[in-house]
Amino acid sequence: MAITLLPARPSDIRTFLAWRYEPPYDIYDITDDVDESIEYFLDPSVQCHVLVDDGELIGFCTFGPDGRIPGGSYDEDAIDIGLGMDPKRIGRGRGRDFVEAVADHAAALFPEVTQRVTIATWNDRALATWRGVGFLEVARFSVGDPIMGTRDFVILTSS
């Protein structure tokens, strides 16, 4: 079955807020206040969507500034993508399907706009997946204080 993207509902957000990842991916655990997080992800400016496969929530994504890492150099000529995959699905060979579904949805929502993702340099699986669907590295940057457990990030864009 094909992966479908739908606007996130409060119940969806509660589901992905409860996800807990194994190290080193545990930096992606969302541990903020649940009610505040639900309010945040429902904000129209965050443009949060969930990925559903055969009726099961398998991930989520955001479009816009939520996908940016403070300290990176970002212009307004691209749409930033932030995303998370259900931890029980990581490493099972579906990353490319997941990323393609998100990129296709972004292209439908934002036609003719470059897509951009920012990924920690140590996250070889994510980097390989995004590169595998045609994204190219355009910049690297480091931050003074660790963000999500790291200081070094890569920015990739479509075309």
Side-chain angles (χ1 to χ4, degrees):
M1 177 156 253
I3 296 172
T4 304
L5 276 83
L6 304 167
R9 301 169 304 178
S11 60
D12 300 323
I13 297 167
R14 283 187 190 283
T15 297
F16 68 72
L17 290 175
W19 290 344
R20 295 298 174 257
Y21 299 88
E22 294 293 323
Y25 300 95
D26 58 337
I27 64 165
Y28 298 117
D29 291 353
I30 302 172
T31 58
D32 299 331
D33 178 80
V34 172
D35 291 331
E36 288 178 16
S37 294
I38 290 171
E39 186 177 327
Y40 174 80
F41 284 109
L42 288 176
D43 184 321
S45 69
V46 175
Q47 298 189 53
C48 185
H49 292 74
V50 292
L51 287 82
V52 178
D53 186 20
D54 200 23
E56 185 177 351
L57 193 151
I58 64 166
F60 70 96
C61 64
T62 61
F63 300 109
D66 178 71
R68 297 177 183 172
I69 298 294
S73 178
Y74 300 98
D75 58 34
E76 299 301 321
D77 295 337
I79 188 69
D80 291 283
I81 300 171
L83 69 161
M85 180 183 267
D86 181 340
K88 69 184 177 207
R89 295 183 175 273
I90 292 175
R92 298 207 171 161
R94 293 287 315 270
R96 185 180 181 107
D97 295 339
F98 183 85
V99 165
E100 285 178 340
V102 171
D104 289 349
H105 195 74
L109 288 176
F110 311 99
E112 301 182 31
V113 174
T114 299
Q115 298 172 33
R116 181 171 51 209
V117 293
T118 303
I119 301 170
T121 57
W122 61 264
N123 195 339
D124 296 328
R125 288 195 290 206
L127 288 167
T129 301
W130 283 96
R131 287 177 175 139
V133 299
F135 279 61
L136 302 172
E137 181 177 327
V138 295
R140 287 179 178 251
F141 67 96
S142 296
V143 295
D145 292 322
I147 297 173
M148 295 188 308
T150 191
R151 296 179 191 277
D152 302 310
F153 296 89
V154 178
I155 298 174
L156 304 144
T157 63
S158 62
S159 62

